[in-house]
């Protein structure tokens, strides 16, 4: 083997990451190799902090202890839960919308059948969401998935699963078009869609 085994093995691990390729893994390792000590230390420090985070026991957002900053915050409106596919949608909603309820992170979408693990994870989390809604007597669930095929399939799945619980279910709609991803939406559209959401 021409490469040292640690380089070869790391390359294989990194190449498995979503959207990463073998060449991408090489470029990442090259970048690391070219960093000076300060750059390496900074990266390792942040990475170490990241690895110490846990999924929140209630909503699966990033948490330092058992619960995330939102589930821990007594001032948040606990009667509303906004369901999102990715934790990275939270800062967008926090910044642009002024929403004060809680969140629930699905960890993916109900996508085409070749991503079975992702579907399994989402379904498992939806079961936990149902327990939470029943226990907390949640009044409204706001579905904020993308307007892509997978995002809409996920919204339909949520509706079917949650409507038996008698909770009000709504989805952001106004101003969005088929194929739109929330992360690319402009602040005004997102704000309007949040205040005028469609009941499902
Ligand atoms: Zn939480």
């Amino acid at each position: 083997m021409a490469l040292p085994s640690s380089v070869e093995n790391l390359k294989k691990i990194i190449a498995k990451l979503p959207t990463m390729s073998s060449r991408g893994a090489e470029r990442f390792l090259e970048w690391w190799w070219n960093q000076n000590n300060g750059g390496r230390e900074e990266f390792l420090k942040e990475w170490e902090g990241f690895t110490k985070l846990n999924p929140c026991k209630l909503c699966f957002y990033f948490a330092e202890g058992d619960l995330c900053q939102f589930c821990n915050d007594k001032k948040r409106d606990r009667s509303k839960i906004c369901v999102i596919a990715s934790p990275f949608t939270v800062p967008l909603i926090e910044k642009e919308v002024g929403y004060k309820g809680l969140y629930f992170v699905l960890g993916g979408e109900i996508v085409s059948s070749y991503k079975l693990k992702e579907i399994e994870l989402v379904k498992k989390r939806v079961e936990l969401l149902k327990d939470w809604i029943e226990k907390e007597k949640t009044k409204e669930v706001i579905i904020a998935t993308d307007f892509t095929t997978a995002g809409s399939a996920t919204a339909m799945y949520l509706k079917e699963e949650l409507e038996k619980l008698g909770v009000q279910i709504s989805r952001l709609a106004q101003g969005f078009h088929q194929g739109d991803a929330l992360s690319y939406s402009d602040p005004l559209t997102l704000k309007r869609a949040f205040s005028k959401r469609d009941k499902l």
Side-chain angles (χ1 to χ4, degrees):
M1 199 182 289
L3 288 167
S5 62
S6 61
V7 179
E8 187 66 49
N9 293 337
L10 257 180
K11 195 183 120 179
K12 278 187 195 144
I13 292 170
I14 295 168
K16 278 190 208 151
L17 302 179
T19 74
M20 190 61 92
S21 60
S22 180
R23 181 66 194 124
E26 284 171 5
R27 297 202 48 168
F28 173 76
L29 291 169
E30 267 168 35
W31 168 82
W32 173 259
W33 194 241
N34 292 334
Q35 291 294 304
N36 59 22
N37 282 343
R40 288 183 180 200
E41 266 168 36
E42 192 191 352
F43 180 90
L44 285 179
K45 187 175 149 262
E46 299 304 336
W47 184 255
E48 199 192 346
F50 175 61
T51 60
K52 283 183 184 154
L53 296 175
N54 312 296
C56 170
K57 288 231 154 66
L58 266 180
C59 76
F60 297 96
Y61 189 63
F62 304 115
E64 280 175 11
D66 281 350
L67 296 179
C68 71
Q69 55 182 305
F70 305 109
C71 293
N72 243 336
D73 186 348
K74 300 276 177 289
K75 289 194 215 95
R76 304 286 300 199
D77 178 358
R78 306 188 88 80
S79 71
K80 289 188 177 73
I81 299 175
C82 176
V83 182
I84 48 194
S86 156
F88 291 101
T89 308
V90 168
L92 194 75
I93 295 173
E94 283 296 299
K95 184 166 169 258
E96 310 296 357
V97 178
Y99 170 73
K100 291 285 173 253
L102 300 181
Y103 293 97
F104 189 85
V105 181
L106 292 171
E109 293 171 313
I110 301 285
V111 280
S112 46
S113 53
Y114 66 93
K115 282 188 172 175
L116 280 178
K117 268 196 186 144
E118 185 170 332
I119 295 176
E120 222 170 81
L121 174 74
V122 171
K123 289 190 172 176
K124 215 180 270 173
R125 289 206 179 162
V126 171
E127 289 307 307
L128 295 170
L129 175 63
K130 281 155 78 177
D131 291 345
W132 185 12
I133 291 169
E134 284 198 300
K135 213 164 132 203
E136 295 283 330
K137 313 251 179 298
T138 306
K139 290 202 179 81
E140 184 182 5
V141 171
I142 303 157
I143 302 173
T145 52
D146 285 341
F147 291 85
T148 53
T149 310
S152 297
T154 309
M156 282 316 295
Y157 178 77
L158 281 164
K159 181 185 178 261
E160 280 164 19
E161 289 296 312
L162 303 182
E163 65 188 354
K164 304 159 206 161
L165 305 178
V167 64
Q168 186 185 313
I169 306 164
S170 53
R171 188 178 182 207
L172 310 190
Q174 198 140 343
F176 282 105
H177 306 286
Q178 183 63 30
D180 280 355
L182 288 183
S183 47
Y184 297 120
S185 61
D186 66 281
L188 201 68
T189 303
L190 188 62
K191 204 170 176 176
R192 202 178 298 138
F194 233 91
S195 61
K196 293 192 173 153
R197 43 194 186 261
D198 284 352
K199 275 187 196 165
L200 286 185

